[in-house]
Amino acid sequence: MTTVPEVRARKGADPLVMVTAYDAPGARVADEAGVDLLLVGDSVAMTVLGYADTLQVTVDDMVHHTAAVARAKPHALIVADLPWLSYHTSRRDAVLNAGRLVRAGAQAVKLEGGSKRVPVIEALVDAEIPVMGHLGLTPQSFHAMGGFKVQGKGVEAARQVIDDAKSLAAAGCFSLVLEGIPTEVARLVTGAVDVPTIGIGAGPACDGQVLVWHDVLGFGGGEYAVAPKFVRRYADLRAAAIEGLASYAADVRSRAFPSDSESYHLRADVAEALI
Ligand code: KIV
């Protein structure tokens, strides 16, 4: 089982690979593919639960999905997102909610935001709960940011991201997700902190990369069919699934399924007595 200290020690070494996972089969395939970290992301809101944004996800939802991922017993480190409002009201609420995720099987939690999160991060670390920070484009701040916009584009905004990263690392975060910031800013952040940075839409200079399972494997659809430009799609599971289910439907309708070998039979003497 991958541990938090092992991930922390990967700073500047081989790039870390993280992918989201929301259920046991998804966790199993990612783990068999050899990823280092599984993120039970609050993106479950859009990828699985059909919501329009992450603000709809509750602690109960995250516990449910974290437990499903943990039941796969992956070798990868399990990180679970603290959802919106689960760590904003008080440090006590943050520790109790994070504790629920740990009891569900998470080895670490992730939360969004800069220096203002330092007291909460310190409380979590004090409760022995490892914390991953998340800076830049933070989806839980969707309304405050005015939409999903690349952050840190001006000098002051970029300096703020760098300062926030230093504060989070000093507060005890064992790694930082950098989302939706220019490559140059991500490079400066990565050089400024002694913990691994894991980028998504933050260019190649980070210590690792994270993508959403459904984006990597092409299992989106509906309003999420068009992935952001930072996504590289490595499979088209949606097309494969539609093709497979269409073949199943055709076989049912033509009575080609099930075949004799796919059916159970009575022993000959029982059939004779019965019929
Ligand atoms: O919830 C999520 O999927 C995330 C990643 C985008 C980093 O937080």
Side-chain angles (χ1 to χ4, degrees):
M1 200 170 75
T2 305
T3 65
V4 166
E6 283 166 2
V7 168
R8 167 76 185 73
R10 290 275 293 274
K11 175 73 185 176
D14 287 347
L16 288 160
V17 181
M18 181 158 85
V19 70
T20 63
Y22 314 104
D23 57 22
R28 275 189 208 110
V29 296
D31 205 48
E32 281 181 37
V35 307
D36 299 303
L37 302 100
L38 294 174
L39 172 64
V40 189
D42 57 1
S43 52
V44 69
M46 293 90 89
T47 54
V48 175
L49 301 177
Y51 292 122
D53 56 54
T54 59
L55 304 182
Q56 311 305 324
V57 168
T58 65
V59 176
D60 285 349
D61 292 328
M62 294 306 301
V63 166
H64 180 77
H65 288 278
T66 300
V69 167
R71 275 180 221 116
K73 299 193 185 347
H75 181 261
L77 186 85
I78 303 176
V79 182
D81 262 340
L82 278 166
W84 181 58
L85 287 190
S86 69
Y87 56 97
H88 304 72
T89 46
S90 70
R91 284 179 292 174
R92 177 182 159 81
D93 285 351
V95 171
L96 294 177
N97 287 323
R100 289 190 62 198
L101 296 176
V102 171
R103 285 193 172 139
Q107 293 156 274
V109 298
K110 176 166 79 59
L111 55 74
E112 298 183 4
S115 309
K116 64 184 171 189
R117 303 290 176 228
V118 163
V120 164
I121 293 166
E122 287 175 344
L124 292 167
V125 171
D126 190 51
E128 315 298 345
I129 300 174
V131 184
M132 177 181 280
H134 185 158
L135 292 170
L137 194 171
T138 46
Q140 292 174 11
S141 316
F142 175 76
H143 295 303
M145 290 184 308
F148 294 117
K149 295 178 178 166
V150 174
Q151 303 293 302
K153 285 167 86 174
V155 174
E156 279 317 305
R159 283 201 181 121
Q160 185 65 57
V161 178
I162 297 164
D163 288 347
D164 282 341
K166 288 180 183 168
S167 302
L168 264 57
C173 284
F174 74 96
S175 65
L176 302 175
V177 164
L178 303 179
E179 178 167 0
I181 58 173
T183 298
E184 298 78 4
V185 180
R187 182 175 291 116
L188 288 170
V189 171
T190 300
V193 295
D194 62 357
V195 297
T197 59
I198 302 181
I200 174 164
C206 299
D207 297 302
Q209 299 290 328
V210 54
L211 283 175
V212 167
W213 196 99
H214 293 61
D215 289 343
V216 184
L217 297 177
F219 203 54
E223 58 199 292
Y224 302 106
V226 182
K229 89 168 197 172
F230 58 78
V231 169
R232 191 179 296 176
R233 185 158 284 171
Y234 287 88
D236 192 350
L237 292 195
R238 184 172 193 270
I242 291 172
E243 193 184 321
L245 290 172
S247 299
Y248 164 62
D251 282 356
V252 170
R253 290 180 183 128
S254 68
R255 300 191 182 278
F257 175 84
S259 65
D260 196 55
S261 65
E262 289 159 330
S263 307
Y264 297 105
H265 292 284
L266 288 172
R267 263 192 355 245
D269 59 321
V270 178
E272 197 173 324
L274 184 71
I275 301 162

